[in-house]
């Protein structure tokens, strides 16, 4: 178990990138210098972002400072989740089994597919007209 004052983790989802700094102060939870609950207003986004801390029962022990950019709010919440999970692993490798079982260490590779020429979207063809 590593005892450092600050531990870093990087999380990504779609085009969102979150740089997480884990600090041993449960009261300090900021995202882009805004309070956590203010930045992620819905309960579901808050729970999703805090999932690694709740799975490892560290939500009363650690806080975080996050710089997140790109994407939308849901993608950013998922990026924060991955960043927190990776930072927790630097504290204790023993949590790897719990985090892996909850699916918190896998980066979600899904992203928007590029538009192809001659199509309206990535796969949507123009409507066929007989006459």
């Amino acid at each position: 178990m590593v005892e450092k004052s600050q531990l870093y983790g990087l999380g990504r989802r779609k085009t969102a990138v979150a740089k997480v700094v884990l600090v041993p102060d449960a009261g300090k939870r900021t995202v882009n210098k805004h309070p956590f609950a203010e930045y992620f207003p819905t309960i579901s986004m808050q729970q999703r972002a805090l999932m690694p801390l709740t799975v490892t029962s560290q939500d009363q022990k650690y806080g975080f400072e996050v710089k997140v950019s790109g994407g939308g709010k849901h993608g950013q919440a998922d990026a924060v989740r991955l960043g927190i999970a990776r930072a927790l692993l630097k504290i204790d490798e023993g949590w790897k089994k719990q985090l892996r079982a909850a699916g918190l260490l896998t980066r979600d590779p899904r992203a928007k597919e590029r538009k192809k020429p001659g199509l309206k979207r990535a796969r949507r063809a123009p409507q066929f007209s007989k006459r």
Side-chain angles (χ1 to χ4, degrees):
M1 192 156 171
V2 179
E3 283 299 320
K4 291 184 180 176
S5 60
Q6 294 181 336
L7 292 148
Y8 299 93
L10 183 75
R12 292 189 186 99
R13 170 74 169 101
K14 292 188 175 180
T15 57
V17 179
K19 296 170 188 169
V20 178
V21 179
L22 214 59
V23 292
D25 176 17
K28 187 167 192 164
R29 293 184 175 172
T30 59
V31 181
N32 290 350
K33 297 184 180 176
H34 290 44
F36 174 72
E38 184 183 304
Y39 194 83
F40 294 121
T42 64
I43 300 295
S44 64
M45 278 195 280
Q46 290 173 17
Q47 288 174 340
R48 197 158 178 79
L50 293 175
M51 201 179 286
L53 291 172
T54 55
V55 166
T56 56
S57 303
Q58 300 299 311
D59 46 353
Q60 300 299 319
K61 193 173 180 185
Y62 290 101
F64 49 81
E65 291 178 44
V66 181
K67 272 194 178 176
V68 66
S69 62
K73 292 281 186 172
H74 286 278
Q76 288 181 350
D78 284 351
V80 169
R81 179 175 77 167
L82 181 59
I84 291 172
R86 286 180 174 173
L88 282 171
L89 274 187
K90 292 179 182 174
I91 296 169
D92 188 1
E93 282 286 325
W95 290 327
K96 189 169 189 170
K97 196 171 185 179
Q98 290 172 287
L99 293 169
R100 177 76 61 202
L104 300 174
L105 294 178
T106 307
R107 188 219 189 270
D108 193 343
R110 295 175 297 169
K112 190 171 175 82
E113 191 175 339
R114 68 173 287 272
K115 182 192 173 299
K116 311 319 185 290
L119 301 180
K120 294 195 173 287
R121 295 193 305 258
R123 297 178 187 222
R124 169 77 169 103
Q127 187 172 3
F128 176 73
S129 174
K130 200 169 206 174
R131 286 176 192 86

